Amino acid sequence: MTATMNSRNAARMKATDRTIRRINIPTDGEGKSLKISDYYAENVFDYRKSDMIPQEVKIELKAYTASHSAGKSLSKEHAEVVAKAVGTWAMRRGATHFCHWFQPLTGSTAEKHDSFLSFSKDDLPIVKLGASALLQGEPDASSFPNGGSRSTFEARGYTSWDLSSPLFLREGENGKTLCIPTAFISYTGDALDIKTPHLRSITALDKAATKFMKVIGKTDTEHVYSNCGCEQEYFLIDKAMYILRPDLVMTGRTLFGSLTSRNQQLSDHYFGTVPERVLAFMQELDYKLHRLGIPSKTRHNEVAPGQYELAPIFEDSNLAADHNQLLMAVIKKVAEKHNFVGILHEKPFAGVNGSGKHLNWSMSDNTGHNLLEPGQNPQDNYRFLAMVSCVVEAVKRNSKALRMAIASHGNDHRLGANEAPPSIISVYLGETLDKIYDAILEGKDFVPSNDKFLESGAGQLAHLLKDNTDRNRTSPFAFTGNKFEFRAVGSSQAVGFPSTILNAAMSEVLNEATVLVESYMKDGKSTDEALLELIRHYMGRSNDVVFGGDGYSSEWVVEAKKRGLPNLRTTPDALGVLKDSKLTSFLTEQGIFRGDELETRYNVAMENYCMLREIEFQTLVSMVNQNVLSAGLDYKLRLAQIITAGKSNGLESSVETDIYKRINMIIENLYDSSRELDRALEALDEDIEKRANALANNLLPLSEKVADNCNALEEMVPDDLWQLPKYYDMLFLR
Ligand code: ADP
Ligand code: MG
């Protein structure tokens, strides 16, 4: 018995393989390191550089490679030319296959590979990429979630080339694959993916915002783009430790685990020196990302031990969404090479900070003007203030939909927990903007440091805002200088969806704002007066969604309720929004979601939620049976032997007996609670809504009770009897 115990423990102790892999940082052949710009986007097809594509086709491509012209496609003839150039480029670099790369509703990406192999008329093997292969694919869609929107016999799905996102090469151990970013639609034309509605929302926002800008006097605006920069948080865990934790492998999070006395109290990890082994990983990661044309910019330690962050330079939303999907995959792949596992789950360790993905969002026009930039000129300030008031209105109107957009089983552990923005969606503007809007609403001048503000020194606005925003880290939706930061997004989420909801909410308000401003001007108001009127109109009705206090506090929950702000606590609650036509009219009326696409999403997300929660709870029960109880019983046996030995020697063993009793009690509680969880799993209703609600409201708390008992046991059982890696092993050993 002792031998097996020791070997179990030995497995845990042996688990850290801390070899630092060293990548070959590329050099110029004489040993000098290359500059990033020397290999940046090396794995991306740039039609501009191709000498196989004639100028007229390049002009056409240029027009289509902006996501606001989504849905446009090349003529067959031109597509043939491009396909040939792309194929040649890819094969020259060692690609053997190509794939349509798309984002089904699973939230991750999917790809089906085809080789370039073909046969000539004389039956000789040749390699080529034809136009039809480039333009359209037909993956069997039946195995992707479709939320019951199609029956199996018509389960064909089509992938269609998205010209606005460049083709790229993915490197594998044994060759490269050409990836063609595509949209994924059903036989009936319904979107089966995240990208299609996202592109529609980008187009809608472009139209609405361009019109608005023109009406308010910025006549050189021809297009408005939605921009997005995603700060990505993740954990790195030693692979050998990871493998010994079935919960991490099966569910992406530890279902229990006792906190060490240290953890993050010392806050010494945040921005601390990156450990050497982790740095080696980050260097290879950046190298891979840069070669893929992903503009990775910032890397650092995050708050929790073992937690890190990566932020790229912002891009057009569609590209940023694709790049974030790719980035998550590359994190996992590179981590693996360094004997780490990259964990993207929102809450891998209870009691330790979770991971989010701050979605930094702004709008800019073809002249390079950021619509959320406070600017230096007074008229820009009015435009800016009006634009921000439109954002506030958009959030206020659609706060439930925005909450829905970030709903996931993983994120439920973050939202409302004591470290992440709450599930109540509010907007933080910062003190300066709050005061300016208050002054406007009260019809007074805003006076910063003895200066009349709106009339005179308007150029200071930009300066003032820099100092005033981003002080509050507890807001789920914060203005930070010249962009909004949607902080409640989960770390593992595809950002295309929250970005879609944001764009759609904004374009609806901008369409309305255009009509309002036009009507004010018809009444004889100047542009500035009309903008002020618009600001008064929106801030007057929506100011109560603005909150500058501590979003983590319990007072805010009470206050928000008083203000009538919704608080959708669980994923099933939040997903209910998709079934409420009043709450989704801004999506359907603008054609962002069509037909039964929302219902499809509801069904897929609910099924997903239930499935993932059920896997968690089943895993928990089986770990209790296979690992935790057995460790407790081993300890009981050891204690019993000590007590018996003591007795036979005539010794008093009150301490051992006391421990024995306590262990026994925990084991009983653990057994009872896990049996109860098991029975509750068995008794789950067939109906998806009832099932999801039971999982969220009954089984989740029950599972936490089981976890508490596991933790109590972990704290009592001697280290050599505990087979599962502890938080200490996973978070502190590198
Ligand atoms: P923080 O203070 O949050 O770290 P940063 O300036 O470092 O702010 O930016 C964080 C993220 O926001 C980066 O990904 C960055 O590219 C992005 N970002 C910066 N400006 C904009 C903008 N105008 N629109 C969208 N994203 C932006
Ligand atoms: Mg940030």
Side-chain angles (χ1 to χ4, degrees):
M1 159 136 275
T2 322
T4 52
M5 279 187 225
N6 279 340
S7 63
R8 274 186 215 147
N9 174 49
R12 199 184 110 212
M13 288 304 153
K14 237 176 66 184
T16 334
D17 172 2
R18 290 186 209 87
T19 23
I20 298 172
R21 271 186 44 93
R22 293 187 195 280
I23 59 152
N24 295 321
I25 293 292
T27 60
D28 61 359
E30 285 164 15
K32 247 174 73 192
S33 300
L34 291 181
K35 295 194 283 293
I36 296 173
S37 52
D38 292 335
Y39 52 83
Y40 190 77
E42 206 168 62
N43 281 331
V44 179
F45 178 70
D46 188 342
Y47 70 89
R48 292 169 305 183
K49 290 185 193 155
S50 172
D51 50 18
M52 289 177 68
I53 302 178
Q55 198 54 29
E56 52 164 327
V57 182
K58 282 186 183 171
I59 290 167
E60 200 183 343
L61 275 171
K62 185 171 181 208
Y64 293 169
T65 48
S67 53
H68 57 78
S69 56
K72 303 238 172 73
S73 199
L74 290 174
S75 67
K76 188 82 197 262
E77 193 189 329
H78 283 179
E80 204 64 68
V81 175
V82 177
K84 196 162 179 198
V86 173
T88 308
W89 171 82
M91 282 183 256
R92 247 184 225 151
R93 278 161 183 76
T96 53
H97 288 66
F98 69 93
C99 75
H100 279 202
W101 183 77
F102 56 102
Q103 297 170 28
L105 297 177
T106 52
S108 54
T109 56
E111 49 198 73
K112 185 184 129 207
H113 295 204
D114 280 293
S115 72
F116 291 119
L117 176 67
S118 185
F119 286 93
S120 72
K121 286 200 190 79
D122 316 320
D123 243 5
L124 291 170
I126 54 166
V127 281
K128 69 168 214 180
L129 179 70
S132 51
L134 180 63
L135 291 171
Q136 205 182 68
E138 204 179 310
D140 173 15
S142 57
S143 42
F144 292 108
N146 56 52
S149 66
R150 299 155 301 141
S151 42
T152 322
F153 67 87
E154 55 174 28
R156 253 179 310 168
Y158 295 95
T159 50
S160 158
W161 182 23
D162 168 20
L163 273 79
S164 58
S165 186
L167 298 101
F168 59 93
L169 287 178
R170 255 184 114 165
E171 295 176 306
E173 287 294 320
N174 293 314
K176 294 177 189 168
T177 306
L178 171 69
C179 296
I180 305 165
T182 54
F184 182 42
I185 48 178
S186 78
Y187 181 66
T188 51
D190 284 349
L192 291 175
D193 65 351
I194 290 166
K195 185 189 270 282
T196 305
H198 192 204
L199 288 171
R200 291 175 191 154
S201 79
I202 290 168
T203 310
L205 181 64
D206 175 26
K207 281 202 189 119
T210 303
K211 176 129 193 245
F212 181 76
M213 293 308 277
K214 281 201 190 299
V215 167
I216 64 171
K218 191 159 185 321
T219 47
D220 56 354
T221 297
E222 295 302 331
H223 280 294
V224 172
Y225 315 106
S226 146
N227 300 316
C228 174
C230 315
E231 298 164 68
Q232 176 74 50
E233 294 178 342
Y234 59 94
F235 279 84
L236 286 180
I237 303 300
D238 190 276
K239 193 172 162 191
M241 296 293 182
Y242 171 86
I243 289 166
L244 291 175
R245 288 288 307 212
D247 45 1
L248 273 181
V249 176
M250 297 302 295
T251 74
R253 72 174 174 112
T254 55
L255 300 168
F256 56 87
S258 173
L259 281 170
T260 54
S261 55
R262 205 165 148 234
N263 292 300
Q264 62 196 39
Q265 280 98 322
L266 297 176
S267 280
D268 54 351
H269 185 65
Y270 192 48
F271 280 169
T273 311
V274 179
E276 194 58 27
R277 181 178 171 206
V278 175
L279 187 62
F281 154 83
M282 287 178 167
Q283 284 162 334
E284 180 164 357
L285 177 63
D286 272 345
Y287 174 58
K288 291 249 154 73
L289 294 175
H290 287 152
R291 275 163 42 98
L292 280 166
I294 299 176
S296 169
K297 177 83 177 160
T298 312
R299 59 190 188 201
H300 61 81
N301 292 348
E302 253 305 322
V303 175
Q307 193 186 29
Y308 307 93
E309 180 181 306
L310 187 160
I313 295 169
F314 69 93
E315 300 173 288
D316 160 83
S317 289
N318 177 47
L319 191 56
D322 279 5
H323 277 169
N324 185 255
Q325 290 292 92
L326 198 50
L327 178 144
M328 290 194 284
V330 180
I331 286 179
K332 292 201 157 216
K333 199 171 143 186
V334 176
E336 188 98 28
K337 280 183 69 184
H338 290 253
N339 290 324
F340 282 125
V341 175
I343 298 194
L344 298 168
H345 193 284
E346 283 75 13
K347 194 73 180 176
F349 302 96
V352 175
N353 261 19
S355 298
K357 174 149 45 199
H358 296 175
L359 193 168
N360 292 271
W361 174 87
S362 68
M363 297 161 287
S364 63
D365 72 7
N366 50 295
T367 68
H369 173 67
N370 176 354
L371 277 54
L372 295 173
E373 175 65 53
Q376 298 297 327
N377 305 309
Q379 87 270 20
D380 276 347
N381 289 172
Y382 283 112
R383 285 176 190 154
F384 160 77
L385 290 171
M387 195 53 75
V388 169
S389 73
C390 288
V391 178
V392 171
E393 171 71 13
V395 174
K396 161 80 185 190
R397 264 189 217 184
N398 299 298
S399 62
K400 283 187 176 175
L402 285 163
R403 165 65 182 99
M404 176 276 293
I406 48 153
S408 74
H409 75 295
N411 221 8
D412 277 4
H413 297 281
R414 266 181 86 231
L415 303 178
N418 210 22
E419 95 247 6
S423 39
I424 306 163
I425 303 290
S426 61
V427 184
Y428 173 77
L429 295 176
E431 212 181 315
T432 307
L433 278 181
D434 282 348
K435 282 190 182 149
I436 293 173
Y437 285 119
D438 284 348
I440 292 176
L441 285 178
E442 288 161 17
K444 294 182 191 144
D445 290 338
F446 171 66
V447 188
S449 53
N450 305 326
D451 259 335
K452 278 209 171 172
F453 190 72
L454 286 168
E455 265 80 20
S456 58
Q460 299 165 32
L461 185 50
H463 176 71
L464 273 165
L465 286 178
K466 262 206 185 82
D467 296 339
N468 269 283
T469 57
D470 210 23
R471 290 262 168 85
N472 187 331
R473 307 298 294 179
T474 66
S475 175
F477 199 88
F479 181 72
T480 50
N482 61 3
K483 61 184 160 50
F484 277 90
E485 195 168 327
F486 193 8
R487 297 203 186 108
V489 181
S491 50
S492 67
Q493 243 196 306
V495 291
F497 190 53
S499 171
T500 303
I501 302 301
L502 208 48
N503 291 338
M506 192 60 190
S507 68
E508 185 200 45
V509 171
L510 283 173
N511 279 326
E512 188 191 274
T514 305
V515 175
L516 284 172
V517 168
E518 278 174 332
S519 77
Y520 300 148
M521 298 207 298
K522 235 184 235 141
D523 293 344
K525 289 202 160 75
S526 70
T527 308
D528 282 356
E529 285 165 352
L531 287 173
L532 269 173
E533 189 63 39
L534 185 77
I535 294 167
R536 264 184 234 118
H537 176 66
Y538 282 150
M539 292 309 279
R541 359 177 314 160
S542 295
N543 213 357
D544 55 359
V545 79
V546 177
F547 177 63
D550 180 1
Y552 296 173
S553 68
S554 49
E555 290 82 20
W556 171 230
V557 179
V558 178
E559 163 74 16
K561 195 167 176 187
K562 250 192 244 156
R563 294 188 187 190
L565 301 181
N567 183 4
L568 301 172
R569 274 193 330 100
T570 68
T571 290
D573 283 350
L575 291 176
V577 170
L578 287 166
K579 295 228 296 193
D580 186 333
S581 59
K582 270 203 228 90
L583 297 176
T584 54
S585 61
F586 75 109
L587 297 170
T588 48
E589 279 166 17
Q590 298 187 88
I592 312 256
F593 285 91
R594 300 173 188 159
D596 54 11
E597 288 173 353
L598 286 172
E599 201 189 327
T600 300
R601 267 154 185 79
Y602 172 80
N603 291 336
V604 170
M606 286 290 268
E607 276 164 23
N608 224 14
Y609 177 81
C610 290
M611 192 176 65
L612 293 167
R613 281 279 185 245
E614 284 165 41
I615 293 173
E616 285 183 350
F617 302 151
Q618 283 155 1
T619 305
L620 180 58
V621 170
S622 88
M623 284 175 77
V624 166
N625 292 335
Q626 295 177 30
N627 306 93
V628 185
L629 277 175
S630 69
L633 294 174
D634 281 349
Y635 189 31
K636 247 180 92 172
L637 177 63
R638 185 185 283 186
L639 287 165
Q641 284 166 343
I642 296 171
I643 294 166
T644 314
K647 269 199 187 127
S648 63
N649 290 324
L651 291 172
E652 179 75 43
S653 49
S654 60
V655 173
E656 294 86 334
T657 310
D658 190 51
I659 297 175
Y660 186 90
K661 281 184 194 151
R662 283 169 61 197
I663 285 287
N664 203 41
M665 204 178 69
I666 300 170
I667 290 176
E668 269 171 24
N669 290 342
L670 175 59
Y671 183 72
D672 289 347
S673 54
S674 87
R675 286 284 297 137
E676 199 184 337
L677 180 61
D678 202 16
R679 276 195 298 269
L681 271 168
E682 296 282 326
L684 279 173
D685 205 286
E686 279 296 312
D687 175 76
I688 197 76
E689 208 172 304
K690 285 188 187 145
R691 197 178 184 91
N693 281 319
L695 285 161
N697 301 322
N698 309 335
L699 276 77
L700 184 64
L702 197 50
S703 77
E704 280 158 1
K705 205 164 112 191
V706 176
D708 286 345
N709 289 319
C710 291
N711 295 347
L713 211 53
E714 182 179 326
E715 269 158 38
M716 297 280 296
V717 168
D719 207 40
D720 70 304
L721 295 181
W722 197 260
Q723 12 172 345
L724 296 163
K726 299 181 173 182
Y727 278 15
Y728 171 79
D729 305 311
M730 292 183 279
L731 296 174
F732 290 103
L733 301 184
R734 270 177 281 285

